[in-house]
Amino acid sequence: MEPNDFRAEDGNWWRQAVVYQVYPRSFKDSNADGLGDVRGITSKVEYLATLGVDAIWLSPFYPSALADGGYDVADYRDVDPKLGTLADFDSMISECHQRGIRVFVDIVPNHSSDLHSWFQEALVSEPGSAARDRYIFRDGKGENGDLPPNDWPSHFGPSAWTRTTTSSGVPGQWYLHLFAPEQPDFNWDNTEVIEDFKHTIRFWSDRGVDGFRIDVAHALTKDMSEPYPKIRDFDVKRIPVDGSHHLFDRDQTLEIYRGWREIFNTYNPPRVAVAEASVPTRRRPRYSSPDTLGQAFNFDLMVMPWSAAKFKKSIDLNLDLAAKSGSSSTWVLSNHDVVRHASRYGLPSRTNYDTWLMSDGTSPAPDGELGLARARAATMLILALPGSTYLYQGEELGLPEVANLPAEALQDPMWMQYGMTRKGRDGCRVPLPWNQQGSSFGFGDNGAHLPQPDWFSDYSVEIQDGVMGSTLELYRSAIALRKKLQAAEDLTWVKSPRNTVHFSRPGGWHSFTNFGAKPVTLPAGTIILASAPVVDGKLPGNSTAWVTTA
Ligand code: GLC
């Protein structure tokens, strides 16, 4: 670390940070190949600084065949040549740090790409060899081993097993992949695997990375002993709370993170991490405690219907859980895996999004205006809460989901793995519109890897920049005000009418959300920001206002 580095000033910076997720392939293309890249990110650091975010989290930018949008990593310690070089990465991070923005990278420890040199080596090695032991290979069942070792599903399709073929074309062993066949699972009982990930964490920390987002943090160690249990699906509700699931949330996985924590703490400031852990809610603190990863995603609001009572209950529970582990809570409404919240909030709460996407977003038809109003209100609400807010690129523009991508454009492995019955997640990954016009609306000079609809123009940065009341300006104002107002991580509930949520933070900062449809009188004080125009002291339905009484 350089002397006088702003990063050394506050070891607790992450506790109430605004972290902006960049999905690199879809952020900004600098070399006209239709794919976003690292230089593209560098060219937009000024934009990120103006937005006011404390940090960015980059989804994987490592060498990858993009079988799962980069979550199939072929080399953990390099940049995909399609996206740039390590030198580009160094310039990007230095540019971010100069503007006071920290950088998180994504670590994908459950599985690699099938193109990773270790997996390629395993494929040409004998069953039982050291090379195969880094992954999870098993003999098949049935007379000739032509049945998979068990009938576990994968997250992306009907089977978690794929059979290998020897170099002479003879069918061989099977390997486990909880995601796509191009994503073989590591064997976390193997010490080489353990050591290699420590190496990776040091590698990026030495390059100045401030934090890590840990992908599928609840998987990693597995009990692969027979008899295999029946596993029908990966519904988190079916994960027992005693750590006895064969694939998820096992105690040994936390041991791995304790090892990582020792490494994080050798840096100044200590490197931070946030876990993507799909575990029963009350097990979450194990991942966010100071001796493991330090923070964990709370996706509860992402799946919560638009209801004052439900939001309130969830906020209480999560503040409580975070306090239990000594961490701060996280708040998330959108990311690269879910339908964008501006669309979700315009749909009935029981909508099955897979079915909705299969109807090209027509059945049911979303109410765009309502969706955007609620999205803006929900964002202001979470920005007023104690803890960290994770934003997903494009939500600051109020971007809806692109629900009608043509079949031939789809890239998500789910589409093929589910026999073209589930479109998957491409609709939230369409490249950003920077300009009103021009090739790919300013994303790049030569089209975009996922087609952008014409209406993207209306959501472009250019059209919203400097325009009072635009969603972009609302985000900028809210983030700037939050920075000024937030102090201790305390929240006090204030009694309020039905269908509303009202709380205050130290220093007289009040947040008031009207979940209902009718205007409601705002509490006394000075209105400092509102997601919709306040008329005669009344806040319209589906809106949030911040009021100070200081
Ligand atoms: C995480 C990522 C998702 C990816 C999966 C497998 O859930 O967020 O995008 O497909 O892990 O790596």
Side-chain angles (χ1 to χ4, degrees), residues 21 23 57 59-60 68-72 106-111 155-156 178-180 183 213-218 276 278 297 299 335-337 412-414 425 429:
Q21 180 187 359
Y23 192 71
W57 143 36
S59 278
D68 180 21
Y71 284 89
D72 46 319
D106 218 310
I107 296 289
V108 188
N110 180 64
H111 45 263
H155 283 86
F156 292 160
L178 294 186
F179 292 87
Q183 294 167 295
R213 178 263 188 191
I214 312 301
D215 189 65
V216 207
H218 55 293
E276 185 211 29
S278 295
F297 280 128
F299 294 135
N335 66 27
H336 64 297
D337 289 331
D412 191 326
M414 281 191 190
R425 303 157 294 173
R429 300 173 178 181

Side-chain angles (χ1 to χ4, degrees), residues 1-75:
M1 199 186 60
E2 294 134 42
N4 304 325
D5 189 327
F6 79 99
R7 296 178 302 150
E9 284 164 20
D10 176 13
N12 279 329
W13 67 269
W14 53 274
R15 293 189 68 97
Q16 301 206 71
V18 175
V19 185
Y20 180 95
Q21 180 187 359
V22 171
Y23 192 71
R25 288 182 306 139
S26 302
F27 188 65
K28 169 75 186 162
D29 171 18
S30 74
N31 63 350
D33 65 355
L35 269 191
D37 45 44
V38 177
R39 285 184 182 211
I41 302 170
T42 312
S43 72
K44 293 295 179 188
V45 170
E46 179 60 31
Y47 171 79
L48 296 164
T50 318
L51 189 56
V53 299
D54 300 296
I56 56 173
W57 143 36
L58 306 181
S59 278
F61 50 80
Y62 315 111
S64 169
L66 302 179
D68 180 21
Y71 284 89
D72 46 319
V73 180
D75 181 348

